Amino acid sequence: MRIRHIATFSAAILAGALAGSLVGPRPAEAVARELIELQRDVTSLLQGQKDLSTQVTQDNTVMKTLIGQSNDTVGKLGATMSSLQKSVQDVQANSGARLDTMSTQVQGLSDNLEEIKSRLGKLNQQLVDLQNSVQSLDGKVSGSAAPAPTTGLATPTSSTGTARPASSISSPSSSILPAGAPSADTLYSNGLRDITSGKYDLALSEFQDYLKFYGDTDLASNAQFYLGEISYKQKQYGEAVAAYDKVLTNYPKSFKLGPARLRKGMALIELGQKTAGVRELREVVKRFPGSDEDRLARAKLKELGVSVTPTR
């Protein structure tokens, strides 16, 4: 467009000069000189036009090169962003798995603490029973006309007056175990170790054996809860719901009631049963206020976009 304007301007100057020379009578020499100068100017203009065209062509070439380089840079930047986004997603996935593992480990530590508390309570009760037995024996000995000499602790007597071993005072009743069956401590500890290390099939077998051999112990409800956790981690949500239900139904005094109801609600939501899952989460908020389960249930309800309490 600019070149066309220059050409038009040059033609206009030439035409004007010719017209001026024709208007007034001038000497031939002056007219020839003016024509020569005009021709020189036109030549200069044409040369300028040619130089300008060359410059525009060069500028276009440079612009094309810059645009190509920019496109390459944008493409590389897009690839870098995609790689970075994938890395972030991988980190998030790994973080979620680590948090899940840490949560299980914390549950295991909590269970161990509860087990220790339970054992301490039993030992304390056994000590009280032993003291009561010794005091009772001392009273009998003091009121007897012919006290029998004793060495160490007196041998307790049964209700019929016959002697029985002192070790039978506080020995808990237990079911008959098959030969070679592992102890309750061994089964439970191995189960916790294997579930935290991701050996779910092995942990499943160990907790099932624990319930089979030691189903009336204080930690039986924990073993049942961990059966649900294993099914949940393996995405067998139907089996997880059934296992959590057994905790809620068979162990009404278990300290796993809150976690079992929370996880049951989560499993129901994974099964697509949102209404039932929300109902369980609201029950967690209602029954266990201020607990970790309460906080997690509230967060999940917020994520689902539903209120903590049902609207009327």
Side-chain angles (χ1 to χ4, degrees):
M1 182 64 71
R2 187 173 178 182
I3 296 173
R4 186 183 299 172
H5 288 167
I6 293 174
T8 304
F9 179 71
S10 302
I13 292 175
L14 181 60
L18 291 174
S21 65
L22 294 175
V23 171
R26 294 186 180 181
E29 246 173 66
V31 172
R33 189 168 55 253
E34 289 181 359
L35 286 175
I36 291 172
E37 291 178 355
L38 183 61
Q39 185 176 6
R40 190 185 309 115
D41 292 340
V42 170
T43 302
S44 177
L45 286 172
L46 291 176
Q47 183 62 39
Q49 176 184 352
K50 182 178 179 182
D51 293 342
L52 182 60
S53 176
T54 302
Q55 184 64 37
V56 169
T57 301
Q58 292 176 351
D59 290 345
N60 285 337
T61 302
V62 172
M63 287 297 294
K64 288 180 180 179
T65 302
L66 291 175
I67 290 172
Q69 292 175 349
S70 298
N71 289 334
D72 292 341
T73 302
V74 170
K76 292 178 180 179
L77 181 59
T80 303
M81 288 298 294
S82 298
S83 177
L84 181 60
Q85 184 177 11
K86 185 178 183 300
S87 298
V88 170
Q89 291 174 348
D90 292 341
V91 169
Q92 290 176 341
N94 292 334
S95 298
R98 289 175 182 173
L99 286 174
D100 195 24
T101 301
M102 289 177 62
S103 176
T104 303
Q105 291 174 345
V106 170
Q107 286 280 358
L109 291 175
S110 176
D111 291 347
N112 288 334
L113 179 59
E114 290 296 328
E115 181 182 6
I116 292 172
K117 288 180 179 179
S118 175
R119 291 180 179 179
L120 287 176
K122 288 182 178 180
L123 288 174
N124 184 58
Q125 185 61 44
Q126 290 174 5
L127 179 60
V128 170
D129 292 341
L130 183 59
Q131 289 175 343
N132 291 336
S133 298
V134 171
Q135 291 174 359
S136 176
L137 290 172
D138 286 342
K140 291 180 180 180
V141 170
S142 299
S144 175
T150 59
T151 57
L153 288 177
T155 303
T157 58
S158 66
S159 58
T160 59
T162 57
R164 61 190 178 95
S167 60
S168 65
I169 294 175
S170 59
S171 60
S173 60
S174 59
S175 58
I176 299 176
L177 301 178
S183 67
D185 291 343
T186 301
L187 275 176
Y188 192 82
S189 299
N190 290 346
L192 281 180
R193 181 198 63 215
D194 291 329
I195 192 174
T196 53
S197 61
K199 300 176 182 177
Y200 298 133
D201 291 336
L202 186 57
L204 178 69
S205 175
E206 288 161 342
F207 284 125
Q208 286 175 340
D209 286 343
Y210 187 92
L211 290 174
K212 179 180 178 181
F213 299 136
Y214 310 102
D216 56 350
T217 61
D218 294 336
L219 294 176
S221 63
N222 294 14
Q224 181 62 53
F225 173 79
Y226 282 118
L227 290 179
E229 287 292 272
I230 293 169
S231 296
Y232 191 97
K233 292 177 185 298
Q234 293 179 330
K235 301 186 184 303
Q236 299 172 354
Y237 300 114
E239 295 181 9
V241 169
Y244 295 136
D245 267 333
K246 288 183 179 179
V247 177
L248 299 173
T249 303
N250 299 340
Y251 307 96
K253 295 183 179 181
S254 171
F255 69 94
K256 286 295 187 184
L257 294 180
R261 193 171 291 277
L262 172 69
R263 300 293 278 177
K264 178 185 175 183
M266 298 287 195
L268 287 170
I269 292 171
E270 292 291 343
L271 287 171
Q273 301 177 25
K274 181 179 178 181
T275 301
V278 167
R279 184 168 58 250
E280 292 295 333
L281 296 180
R282 285 172 173 166
E283 280 295 311
V284 172
V285 174
K286 178 181 177 181
R287 293 172 181 262
F288 308 97
S291 63
D292 290 341
E293 289 74 27
D294 173 30
R295 177 178 55 81
L296 293 172
R298 289 177 182 271
K300 187 62 177 180
L301 290 171
K302 183 178 180 181
E303 178 186 333
L304 294 174
V306 297
S307 62
V308 174
T309 57
T311 55
R312 296 181 179 178

